[in-house]
Amino acid sequence: MTRERMMGEKLFYLSHLRPEGEMKVTLVLEPRSNISSGESPLSPSAVSHSDSASSTQSLSHGGAPELLVGLSYNATTGRLSVEMIKGSHFRNLAVNRAPDTYGKLFLLNSVGQEMSRCKTSIRRGQPNPVYKETFVFQVALFQLSDVTLMISVYNRRTMKRKEMIGWIALGQNSSGEEEQDHWEEMKESRGQQVCRWHTLLES
């Protein structure tokens, strides 16, 4: 949770400074996506290291629903800890208001059979909900390369069945390269939590 996320930036040229006295300037920040590469020498790698690719990634997907997930694995105890931290750009397409959302987590074995499941509590009326809920699965070290963690986010609709906002899969059958990289980074992190943003796939 030490990652930072850029809210906006603005270039201010020091040639505008007066040689004497103080000068107060109001700068209107713009999202990085609004500043073309020709105008801004500040590439993501040139900004501070804490503004890492995984934390700024949430700004680069054009408003697609995303989920920040923390993973850690203790090889001694066989405990796989999954923290569903927060979401971004969750929408309720049926009505013009923020959705009531919750997450479901499934652990599947190598042939796709469910080993364990759990779900978060509901976050009401939040397009960018903060969950900060951690779930622990028991997975032996020799099983770690053969399991798949499925995370789905649902919008709970009154008087109607739930609808899925999106999903991701990590582990043996990862849903993409970012998910596979996150899983591998967790395996190499020696029990330290690894947090990454993931773009949710449509159902």
Side-chain angles (χ1 to χ4, degrees), residues 9-13 16 27-28 30 35 38-42:
E9 67 178 357
K10 183 71 173 178
L11 293 180
F12 179 75
Y13 295 95
H16 297 161
L27 299 178
V28 179
E30 299 178 53
I35 298 181
E39 292 177 299
S40 174
L42 298 177

Side-chain angles (χ1 to χ4, degrees), residues 93-104:
L93 299 178
V95 293
N96 188 24
R97 65 178 183 82
D100 300 339
T101 62
Y102 63 94
K104 277 190 174 182

Side-chain angles (χ1 to χ4, degrees), residues 4 12 19 37 45 68 72 101 110 113 126 151 159 167 179:
E4 296 176 2
F12 179 75
S37 57
S45 60
L68 181 60
S72 63
T101 62
S110 58
Q113 295 174 326
Q126 299 178 34
I151 304 177
M159 305 301 291
W167 64 280
E179 289 71 35

Side-chain angles (χ1 to χ4, degrees), residues 1 4 7 16 55 92 95 97 106 108 175 181:
M1 296 305 295
E4 296 176 2
M7 296 179 67
H16 297 161
S55 56
N92 189 342
V95 293
R97 65 178 183 82
F106 297 89
L108 310 176
S175 52
D181 290 346

Side-chain angles (χ1 to χ4, degrees), residues 112-148:
Q113 295 174 326
E114 183 182 314
M115 300 168 62
S116 183
R117 70 161 67 185
C118 47
K119 72 176 185 177
T120 71
S121 53
I122 296 173
R123 298 297 183 270
R124 301 184 188 279
Q126 299 178 34
N128 304 300
V130 175
Y131 297 96
K132 284 197 174 181
E133 294 189 38
T134 301
F135 303 93
V136 177
F137 301 93
Q138 205 64 36
V139 183
L141 182 58
F142 71 88
Q143 291 180 297
L144 196 58
S145 298
D146 300 326
V147 297
T148 301

Side-chain angles (χ1 to χ4, degrees), residues 70-83 107 134-144 147 149 183 186-187 189-193:
L71 299 177
S72 63
Y73 180 73
N74 187 316
T76 305
T77 61
R79 288 163 63 92
L80 169 64
S81 296
V82 182
E83 184 179 8
L107 191 67
T134 301
F135 303 93
V136 177
F137 301 93
Q138 205 64 36
V139 183
L141 182 58
F142 71 88
Q143 291 180 297
L144 196 58
V147 297
L149 174 68
W183 192 260
M186 173 201 72
K187 287 162 65 174
S189 68
R190 299 174 181 264
Q192 297 296 311
Q193 188 186 56

